[in-house]
Amino acid sequence: GVDDAIAAFRRAIRADSEFTGSYSNLALVLEERGDLKGAEAQFKEALAREPKNVAVRTNYGGLLYTLGRYEDARRQLEQAVRDDPSYASAHNNLGAVYGKLGRSVDEIAAYRKAVALDPHYADVHHNLGLALLKEGEREAGEAELRAALRIDPTYVPAYLNLALSLRDRGDLEGAVRLLHEARAQVPRDSNVARLLGEILVQEGRKAEGIDILKESLALDPNQPDLRRTVEHLAAQETGP
C-alpha cells in the first residue's frame, strides 16, 4: 500500500541520502496520498541534489499546478523545457499552466510542441483539442480529440468533450453515435452514460434517455442532482 511505499522510500533515503530517485519517488507517493506540502519538500530535496533532472522538475511543476501556484509552476516548467527541449511532458504541463494564466497563444504553442515531440501522447492531443475549442477553432479542436481516441480508445475525457462539442453545434445524432462507441469501450463509466442519456432526452428520445440515466445512477449513486432530474422526467412520462 501507499504507507508501505512511503516507509520503503524513507528507508532508502536513510541508506543513501544523495540518491535523487528516492526523494522523487517519495514525493510522488506523498502527492498521491494528498500530503502536498510533504511532497513539495521532497521534490525540493531531489532538485537540490540534481537540478538538471527534468522529470523531477516537471513533476514538481505539476504539483505546483495542483496547488494553484501557477506562476511558480510556470517558472519550474519553463526551466524544465530550457534544460531539455525534447521532453514532451514538460511542454504539456507548461501548456496547462499557460491556460490557467490566460496565455492561450502560448498554451496552444506548448501543446503543439508536445505533440510534435510525441505524436502518440493522447493527453496532449486531448489538451490541445480543448484549447483549440476554447479559441473557437472547432474543426481543429475536434480533430485533436479524435486523434486522442485513435491513440487510446478508452480515453473517457476525449469522448465526453468531443460529444459536448458535437452537441453544441447541433449534431445530436453524431454525439449519440460517439457515446455509444464510448459505452462499448468503457461500459461502466457513469459520466458517459449520463451524457448519453441527457442528449437522448434532448433529442426527444425521452424513454430511452431515462433508462440510460438510470444506468448512470446505478453505476454512481452519488449524483443527487441527476436523481432529481430522472424522477422529474419519469413523472412527466407517466403523467398525473
Side-chain angles (χ1 to χ4, degrees), residues 168-188:
D168 290 348
R169 64 178 171 85
D171 186 3
L172 298 183
E173 191 52 44
V176 167
R177 284 196 305 272
L178 178 72
L179 290 168
H180 277 303
E181 292 174 20
R183 295 252 289 169
Q185 293 289 340
V186 282
R188 297 192 57 78

Side-chain angles (χ1 to χ4, degrees), residues 1 29 31 61 65 84 96 108-109 118 124 132 167 201 216 221 233 239:
V29 177
E31 183 176 2
Y65 175 93
D84 184 357
I108 290 170
D118 187 354
V124 183
L132 290 167
R167 184 196 68 180
V201 169
S216 177
L233 290 169

Side-chain angles (χ1 to χ4, degrees), residues 14-50:
R14 288 195 296 271
D16 181 358
S17 62
E18 294 305 309
F19 181 57
T20 303
S22 298
Y23 294 99
S24 176
N25 288 331
L26 177 56
L28 292 171
V29 177
L30 289 170
E31 183 176 2
E32 180 184 348
R33 194 174 69 173
D35 182 1
L36 303 186
K37 183 177 179 180
E40 180 174 10
Q42 298 305 318
F43 278 131
K44 286 181 175 179
E45 291 284 357
L47 289 170
R49 286 157 178 77
E50 197 174 341

Side-chain angles (χ1 to χ4, degrees), residues 29-231:
V29 177
L30 289 170
E31 183 176 2
E32 180 184 348
R33 194 174 69 173
D35 182 1
L36 303 186
K37 183 177 179 180
E40 180 174 10
Q42 298 305 318
F43 278 131
K44 286 181 175 179
E45 291 284 357
L47 289 170
R49 286 157 178 77
E50 197 174 341
K52 295 291 186 180
N53 190 313
V54 174
V56 173
R57 195 172 294 281
T58 298
N59 288 333
Y60 181 34
L63 172 67
L64 293 169
Y65 175 93
T66 300
L67 288 167
R69 290 162 52 188
Y70 302 124
E71 281 294 345
D72 289 340
R74 178 190 61 76
R75 284 189 286 271
Q76 293 296 328
L77 291 163
E78 286 180 349
Q79 183 63 53
V81 299
R82 283 194 296 270
D83 289 340
D84 184 357
S86 69
Y87 196 62
S89 290
H91 290 282
N92 180 47
N93 288 5
L94 184 56
V97 170
Y98 284 146
K100 288 294 187 181
L101 294 173
R103 296 171 54 175
S104 58
V105 172
D106 292 329
E107 176 188 11
I108 290 170
Y111 289 143
R112 288 196 189 283
K113 180 65 174 178
V115 165
L117 290 166
D118 187 354
H120 302 292
Y121 195 165
D123 283 345
V124 183
H125 284 285
H126 174 257
N127 293 342
L128 175 56
L130 290 185
L132 290 167
L133 287 174
K134 186 174 64 177
E135 291 302 301
E137 298 185 41
R138 190 178 295 277
E139 184 176 349
E142 290 183 0
E144 291 298 333
L145 295 176
R146 292 188 188 279
L149 290 172
R150 285 195 296 274
I151 296 163
D152 181 0
T154 66
Y155 199 144
V156 169
Y159 282 116
L160 296 175
N161 287 307
L162 180 54
L164 288 169
S165 181
L166 292 170
R167 184 196 68 180
D168 290 348
R169 64 178 171 85
D171 186 3
L172 298 183
E173 191 52 44
V176 167
R177 284 196 305 272
L178 178 72
L179 290 168
H180 277 303
E181 292 174 20
R183 295 252 289 169
Q185 293 289 340
V186 282
R188 297 192 57 78
D189 190 278
S190 63
N191 293 312
V192 170
R194 177 171 180 160
L195 183 56
L196 175 57
E198 289 171 347
I199 293 176
L200 285 168
V201 169
Q202 182 180 352
E203 199 178 26
R205 296 156 66 179
K206 189 177 288 186
E208 185 181 354
I210 290 171
D211 286 342
I212 293 179
L213 291 174
K214 288 178 179 178
E215 289 183 39
S216 177
L217 280 170
L219 291 166
D220 178 11
N222 188 29
Q223 302 182 80
D225 61 324
L226 180 58
R227 191 172 302 280
R228 288 190 295 271
T229 297
V230 169
E231 290 169 356

